[in-house]
Amino acid sequence: MNKTILVSVLLALTFSFLIFYTFHEFFPPQKVSDIKDHPFFAENKNSDSEKILLLGGSGAVQLNSTMINGLLNKNYENHVFYNLAYNADTPKQRYNSINETVMLKPKLVLYGITYVDFNGFFWLNKAKNVQPLPTIELNPAKLFSSYDDPFLEINPKETTLNFIRESFDDTGLFPEKANRLQLENAPFSFFDEYQTIIADDNDLKKISPDHVKNMAGQDASAKKEQIGYLKEIIKLLQNNDVKVIIFILPQQKYFLDLVPEDDKAIFYAGVEEIESELNVKIYDLSDDYAALNIWMDHNHVAYNKKSMIFSDDIYKIISKEMN
């Protein structure tokens, strides 16, 4: 009897996994970087407004695009600001949607970068590819954790719910979480409550050198690839008469204090290469707010009314470059 039950359970698990795997292959969860088909581009392509666009990763997501756009509208007629940043952006990923971005005919593009933009999160991929040959494990849970995107592991529940939610998106059956905020001028990102909370200084002090070394480490091959894509993005924009500005995203003091000097030198050598080769102006905000009490964590300014200095400074850069 027990043998029959065991066989039945194994068959049920196998059948369930096969159904899930097939479902996941046909209806994979959308990656955050898959933006080129986003309706935002079609909706704004023919707009007569003078567009100011901001590109970048999660550090740039934290900007208050509503505030920046309000200041722009107040001081410059027929101008609009859009924050097109999304989490875990890299130049290689951004390149996939650069043609759609150019079609918006922006007047000015700002690109926020930091160490992970040049290393392409290489340590995550490196950690997943230590063995030259695949290792077979007997842990069934491992079957659900091998996906090419290091920021999006297979999750049966998430895959199913995302598919259902998207299928019934217009019905109102699945409202957004109450604490989730989507800004009108930031189509590819949103805020959850934790992103609005300023971290306690004692918690920020608890940062390990190894963590910083991973985040800031400049792998030679990854850096060459990412800088190559960034140059192509800038060239394409410049060839379409778009002014491009690079700004280095701010970081918290305890993080900056632990960045290895070699990695810092390699990163800034890459920045200087882009500046001189493509005649792009660079604004370095990396340590402008390092000691201020405005941080969500070591790499992200909180989306908080006490942290508006970051957004205000970005507006000042825009205003300066337009005059």
Side-chain angles (χ1 to χ4, degrees):
M1 185 67 177
N2 290 337
K3 184 177 180 180
T4 302
I5 293 174
L6 178 61
V7 171
S8 298
V9 170
L10 289 174
L11 287 173
L13 287 172
T14 301
F15 184 67
S16 298
F17 173 73
L18 289 174
I19 291 176
F20 158 70
Y21 187 80
T22 302
F23 184 79
H24 186 273
E25 287 299 306
F26 282 99
F27 306 107
Q30 187 178 21
K31 292 184 285 186
V32 70
S33 58
D34 291 338
I35 64 170
K36 67 178 183 179
D37 295 322
H38 194 283
F40 168 81
F41 292 110
E43 291 169 359
N44 293 277
K45 182 173 64 174
N46 298 318
S47 168
D48 293 331
S49 299
E50 296 280 5
K51 303 176 189 70
I52 312 299
L53 307 181
L54 187 142
L55 313 180
S58 57
V61 165
Q62 297 293 121
L63 287 161
N64 188 329
S65 58
T66 303
M67 169 188 166
I68 296 172
N69 186 57
L71 290 171
L72 191 66
N73 292 163
K74 181 179 178 181
N75 297 295
Y76 297 90
E77 184 179 355
N78 197 38
H79 283 67
V80 61
F81 171 83
Y82 291 109
N83 185 353
L84 304 189
Y86 55 75
N87 292 337
D89 177 45
T90 64
K92 183 178 180 179
Q93 289 184 160
R94 181 66 64 169
Y95 185 78
N96 293 329
S97 61
I98 194 59
N99 288 325
E100 288 75 15
T101 304
V102 169
M103 288 175 65
L104 295 174
K105 298 179 181 178
K107 180 177 182 178
L108 172 67
V109 168
L110 298 90
Y111 202 139
I113 63 170
T114 187
Y115 293 97
V116 292
D117 292 274
F118 284 2
N119 68 33
F121 300 91
F122 82 96
W123 74 91
L124 294 176
N125 294 318
K126 182 179 178 181
K128 294 178 69 173
N129 295 286
V130 176
Q131 299 293 334
L133 296 174
T135 301
I136 299 176
E137 299 189 35
L138 298 179
N139 183 357
K142 295 293 184 181
L143 294 172
F144 300 97
S145 60
S146 58
Y147 198 80
D148 289 340
D149 186 343
F151 305 98
L152 182 61
E153 295 189 350
I154 294 176
N155 183 324
K157 180 180 178 182
E158 180 182 12
T159 301
T160 305
L161 289 179
N162 281 347
F163 173 70
I164 295 173
R165 185 182 295 276
E166 290 173 8
S167 299
F168 295 91
D169 188 50
D170 296 328
T171 67
L173 292 175
F174 300 98
E176 295 290 331
K177 292 196 301 183
N179 62 343
R180 177 169 289 182
L181 173 65
Q182 175 88 50
L183 299 183
E184 290 184 5
N185 294 76
F188 310 141
S189 60
F190 57 82
F191 291 101
D192 277 324
E193 185 177 4
Y194 75 91
Q195 292 170 276
T196 70
I197 298 173
I198 294 175
D200 183 87
D201 189 65
N202 289 326
D203 291 331
L204 290 172
K205 287 179 180 177
K206 301 172 185 177
I207 183 171
S208 72
D210 286 341
H211 170 76
V212 177
K213 186 176 181 179
N214 277 338
M215 292 283 288
Q218 299 297 288
D219 177 77
S221 60
K223 174 177 175 284
K224 181 178 179 180
E225 180 183 43
Q226 296 296 342
I227 287 183
Y229 277 105
L230 183 54
K231 286 181 179 179
E232 290 304 311
I233 289 171
I234 294 170
K235 289 176 185 177
L236 186 56
L237 289 165
Q238 290 179 335
N239 289 341
N240 283 272
D241 299 320
V242 180
K243 188 174 185 179
V244 181
I245 300 298
I246 300 291
F247 69 97
I248 302 174
L249 288 162
Q251 307 292 313
Q252 201 272 340
K253 174 179 170 53
Y254 303 133
F255 178 89
L256 288 175
D257 287 346
L258 292 175
V259 174
E261 289 300 322
D262 287 348
D263 291 312
K264 187 181 294 185
I266 294 171
F267 172 76
Y268 277 97
V271 172
E272 291 171 6
E273 177 185 331
I274 292 170
E275 181 180 25
S276 60
E277 184 176 321
L278 299 176
N279 194 28
V280 175
K281 187 178 290 186
I282 309 291
Y283 288 87
D284 189 355
L285 307 182
S286 59
D287 63 354
D288 281 17
Y289 326 118
L292 298 184
N293 185 31
I294 63 172
W295 295 91
M296 178 191 95
D297 59 28
H298 300 95
N299 313 108
H300 303 87
V301 173
Y303 179 78
N304 188 290
K305 63 182 181 181
K306 297 180 180 179
S307 308
M308 290 301 100
I309 184 174
F310 181 25
S311 299
D312 190 52
D313 284 349
I314 292 299
Y315 171 73
K316 289 177 181 176
I317 291 174
I318 294 172
S319 182
K320 180 178 179 180
E321 293 302 322
M322 287 175 58
N323 294 329

